[in-house]
Amino acid sequence: MLFRGARRSGMSKLAMTLLVSALGLGCGLWLPVGAGLPVASAFDSKPKVAKKEAADGVKAAAEKAPADKPVVPVKLPEKVFSTGYSGSYTELINFINTQIRGGWQDNNIMPSEVADDGEWIRRVYLDIAGHIPDVEQYEKFVADKDKAKRAKLIDELLDDPGYVRNFTAIWTNLLIGRATPQRISRKGLQKFLRESFGKNRAWSEIVYDLLSAEGTMEENGATNFLMSHLNDGAVPATAISAKLFLGLQVQCTQCHNHPFNEWKQDAFWEFNSFFKQARKVEHQKYDEKTGRMVFDYAELVPQTFEGGVFYEKRSGLMQVAYPRFNGTEVDPGPETNRRLELAKIVIKGEKTYVADAMVNRMWGHFFGYGFTKPVDDMGPHNAPSNPALLDRMSLEFVKAGYDLKQLIRWICNSEAYNLTSRYGSKNQNDNPAAGESPLFSHLYVKSLSAEQLFDSLIVATNAHKSGRSSWEQAETQRQQWLQQFVLAFGTDENDEATTFDGTIPQALMMMNGKLIEDALSGSKGSLLNTVLTEKGKEMDKIKTLYIATLSRTPSRKEVTAAQKVLGGAKSPFEAYQDLYWALLNSNEFIFNH
């Protein structure tokens, strides 16, 4: 079962293993690659490192000084990397570069070299659009000689439907999880998010709507967020709102004062009191087929609530908390719309929790690590690794009207984002996976999310062009496919997790799953069918498969190994089928680097 593709072509397990080894690939089941490490083969004795140093001037970099002498900072190249963008926020991008470079100098490390076009385009497509580029997009970009092509592609992707779909999926999962709660409209929430990201609404407006929403689950999709978390006295709503919108983990403080967190137990219940006027109402309708009343729709409605919230301290004493946030008190009377007041408070000011939280989260989205670990646990107890940079970007984000596209442009046009994921001897200690603070001297390897892998498999097989499955038609299939990896915990915070992290279920799916079977079927319109039917040299066909899956051309060694394997196969179809299977099951395919 594990090697269905191999057996179909008459190849033994050993032969398939040799194929994967010869191509320099590694199956995710055999090699769980840690974040911060370069993508390497399962058969490599040690990770590969960059053959060249990061930039001119590296030879002049000082070696680590003896303990009794001060450390001499590395000498970085004078020229700051640029994607060629010359817009109004060049100064801010230069500030980002300067701040990150300061960390390199302070820690006596040299950054990796700039990623080549293939590595970079795959990364930026995955991060912004949520899927890998197809062959045509790759070849067009690599052939482009414009020095500003990276900045221009960032802008193109921000206007691409893939951007809207990707961030709609990300925030739907964050707001209500992958396993849709009962009697909640996932489509309604997706519609709200899709329209918000599509119109590039200010993030402050989106947060405002999610916190203050009223109405039915379909007509106002924003209501689905709070309706998913109003159980247990709105404790889940309190915890997840603080975590997602304010970057604060306060769930532990509902029962006791946290020894390190500045939020105390009273602050938790003061925040909780803002949600006490919200109530989920479920409406029913008569089903003529069954003769019974069945669920029709849910609605988020206001309910009368005044005064404070009573809670018990560890000492057993009862306390009362009134609506208050960040020093601002709200009238606890029945006429006050508490959620509306909260929505106004959290986005008011030149520097807000909302801005800090989103800047940190978006930085973490693109780099794999934010300025704090985790990204949603900010505060004095967990100081950011680069407070000056976080503060400046947060202030600029507010000045820009909470424009998410601008924030993404700042990050993706930075020097650090354009570096390769391969590290060298001068920055191998920059490994946050080992507990170190991230210095962003190279890109950290990230596992593809389940959504990214699903959509990338669709692109790699050419299904998005063949007419067999449009993006809209694939949504239902994608949700059904994702559910096999979701685990619901049923905790007070409505937590869930996925097994989509290199475990056996994921490995089996990649080896024998329906998507892989479809990819290897060779049906009309598929990439494999195109490779087999179009005229061309064997070398060109191998190259096409590599570009379609890994967004790069094969090395001479890989071509030679592939040709040997293809030459010993029973038929061209089975030969290319096995090569395609090996590429799709490689670490290089299932990781973002």
Side-chain angles (χ1 to χ4, degrees):
M1 286 294 294
L2 295 183
F3 287 83
R4 185 181 301 170
R7 289 178 178 175
R8 178 167 47 235
S9 64
M11 295 180 68
S12 66
K13 293 183 181 179
L14 176 60
M16 179 57 76
T17 302
L18 291 175
L19 169 63
V20 176
S21 176
L23 296 176
L25 308 168
C27 176
L29 173 65
W30 306 324
L31 181 64
V33 178
L37 298 177
V39 177
S41 164
F43 301 91
D44 285 343
S45 60
K46 59 182 179 179
K48 298 176 183 178
V49 298
K51 292 183 179 179
K52 297 191 299 180
E53 292 295 354
D56 295 334
V58 67
K59 292 182 180 180
E63 295 293 337
K64 206 170 204 179
D68 58 341
K69 294 183 179 180
V71 175
V72 180
V74 294
K75 181 181 179 183
L76 296 171
E78 294 294 331
K79 183 179 180 181
V80 176
F81 176 82
S82 171
T83 58
Y85 185 76
S86 58
S88 60
Y89 46 83
T90 300
E91 189 272 331
L92 177 57
I93 295 174
N94 287 339
F95 178 82
I96 295 172
N97 294 344
T98 300
Q99 285 295 312
I100 298 299
R101 282 176 162 239
W104 300 340
Q105 290 177 319
D106 292 344
N107 289 274
N108 203 42
I109 65 171
M110 178 63 78
S112 297
E113 61 187 0
V114 174
D116 62 33
D117 284 345
E119 181 181 3
W120 186 86
I121 187 177
R122 186 179 192 273
R123 174 193 308 162
V124 78
Y125 258 88
L126 282 167
D127 287 341
I128 296 181
H131 60 81
I132 62 174
D134 61 29
V135 175
E136 182 181 347
Q137 291 162 338
Y138 166 88
E139 291 180 337
K140 178 183 177 182
F141 181 77
V142 171
D144 191 353
K145 302 301 181 183
D146 188 345
K147 293 182 179 179
K149 66 180 182 180
R150 294 193 178 188
K152 291 180 178 179
L153 180 59
I154 292 167
D155 285 343
E156 290 175 13
L157 289 176
L158 289 174
D159 290 331
D160 188 272
Y163 161 73
V164 175
R165 189 164 187 261
N166 182 34
F167 280 87
T168 294
I170 290 171
W171 276 97
T172 299
N173 292 339
L174 288 172
L175 292 168
I176 64 172
R178 284 186 169 90
T180 307
Q182 287 188 343
R183 298 180 178 179
I184 290 296
S185 174
R186 190 178 197 88
K187 290 183 179 179
L189 179 59
Q190 287 176 328
K191 182 176 182 290
F192 166 75
L193 292 172
R194 186 167 61 249
E195 291 178 352
S196 297
F197 290 124
K199 295 176 181 178
N200 195 32
R201 295 183 65 206
W203 178 243
S204 55
E205 294 179 5
I206 297 174
V207 172
Y208 182 95
D209 286 352
L210 289 168
L211 290 175
S212 64
E214 294 180 359
T216 65
M217 59 197 295
E218 299 293 351
E219 292 179 358
N220 185 0
T223 59
N224 289 282
F225 164 60
L226 281 181
M227 285 197 293
S228 300
H229 305 289
L230 287 177
N231 56 301
D232 297 330
V235 166
T238 306
I240 195 170
S241 295
K243 184 162 61 174
L244 292 182
F245 306 137
L246 309 178
L248 302 171
Q249 292 201 14
V250 301
Q251 58 271 22
C252 291
T253 62
Q254 64 178 293
C255 300
H256 56 83
N257 289 333
H258 196 284
F260 307 113
N261 198 325
E262 65 176 354
W263 267 56
K264 303 302 179 184
Q265 190 179 11
D266 58 348
F268 178 91
W269 293 106
E270 288 170 353
F271 195 62
N272 173 264
S273 69
F274 282 103
F275 300 96
K276 290 299 186 179
Q277 292 175 330
R279 181 167 64 97
K280 178 184 178 183
V281 177
E282 297 181 358
H283 297 271
Q284 295 184 321
K285 64 180 179 179
Y286 179 72
D287 187 344
E288 295 182 353
K289 292 182 179 180
T290 63
R292 297 179 179 180
M293 298 298 290
V294 297
F295 174 76
D296 188 12
Y297 67 92
E299 183 178 12
L300 185 61
V301 300
Q303 69 175 359
T304 302
F305 187 91
E306 60 180 309
V309 173
F310 290 91
Y311 66 96
E312 184 178 359
K313 301 192 73 172
R314 297 190 73 176
S315 62
L317 294 175
M318 296 300 295
Q319 298 287 331
V320 62
Y322 295 96
R324 172 177 164 171
F325 174 73
N326 199 26
T328 301
E329 297 182 4
V330 171
D331 184 353
E335 302 300 324
T336 302
N337 186 327
R338 297 188 183 189
R339 288 192 294 123
L340 193 63
E341 293 303 314
L342 175 63
K344 294 176 182 178
I345 294 171
V346 297
I347 61 174
K348 184 179 180 180
E350 296 180 353
K351 190 175 185 299
T352 65
Y353 282 102
V354 171
D356 286 349
M358 194 55 172
V359 168
N360 197 34
R361 184 175 292 277
M362 290 295 277
W363 188 276
H365 170 78
F366 286 96
F367 284 98
Y369 292 91
F371 298 114
T372 63
K373 293 189 293 185
V375 295
D376 51 16
D377 188 17
M378 306 174 72
H381 66 288
N382 190 22
S385 59
N386 197 321
L389 180 53
L390 175 60
D391 286 348
R392 173 69 185 277
M393 291 184 69
S394 180
L395 287 169
E396 296 295 337
F397 185 43
V398 175
K399 288 181 183 178
Y402 289 88
D403 189 328
L404 289 173
K405 290 188 177 182
Q406 292 287 53
L407 177 58
I408 292 172
R409 287 187 181 98
W410 301 337
I411 295 172
C412 293
N413 280 291
S414 69
E415 177 178 21
Y417 185 74
N418 284 269
L419 301 176
T420 181
S421 62
R422 296 186 181 277
Y423 55 71
S425 59
K426 297 293 183 180
N427 65 344
Q428 60 185 348
N429 292 328
D430 181 11
N431 184 11
E436 302 292 334
S437 294
L439 296 172
F440 310 108
S441 66
H442 61 90
L443 251 290
Y444 308 119
V445 176
K446 301 174 289 186
S447 298
L448 296 190
S449 68
E451 290 83 2
Q452 285 177 323
L453 183 53
F454 180 93
D455 291 342
S456 293
L457 283 169
I458 296 296
V459 171
T461 59
N462 233 19
H464 66 306
K465 288 187 175 182
S466 65
R468 291 187 291 118
S469 178
S470 67
W471 287 118
E472 292 75 16
Q473 294 170 334
E475 183 60 33
T476 300
Q477 297 176 7
R478 181 168 73 162
Q479 288 306 315
Q480 293 174 346
W481 181 80
L482 292 174
Q483 293 314 303
Q484 65 185 302
F485 304 110
V486 179
L487 296 174
F489 292 137
T491 62
D492 289 342
E493 286 77 44
N494 301 333
D495 289 333
E496 68 176 26
T498 73
T499 58
F500 197 84
D501 53 5
T503 52
I504 289 178
Q506 179 186 346
L508 291 175
M509 179 279 299
M510 286 302 297
M511 289 180 177
N512 296 320
K514 184 67 167 58
L515 287 176
I516 299 299
E517 283 191 353
D518 289 345
L520 301 177
S521 67
S523 58
K524 188 175 181 180
S526 68
L527 178 77
L528 194 57
N529 180 269
T530 300
V531 169
L532 288 166
T533 57
E534 285 189 348
K535 295 181 180 180
K537 298 179 180 179
E538 187 178 69
M539 168 72 177
D540 294 329
K541 295 178 184 292
I542 295 173
K543 180 181 176 181
T544 297
L545 289 179
Y546 264 83
I547 293 174
T549 53
L550 308 184
S551 301
R552 68 171 176 87
T553 56
S555 67
R556 183 179 301 177
K557 178 182 177 182
E558 288 170 327
V559 170
T560 300
Q563 287 175 330
K564 288 182 180 179
V565 174
L566 298 179
K570 292 181 179 179
S571 69
F573 173 72
E574 291 178 344
Y576 286 109
Q577 191 181 49
D578 287 329
L579 173 59
Y580 198 28
W581 180 93
L583 292 171
L584 291 173
N585 276 275
S586 67
N587 280 311
E588 194 170 348
F589 181 76
I590 63 176
F591 284 91
N592 184 359
H593 44 86

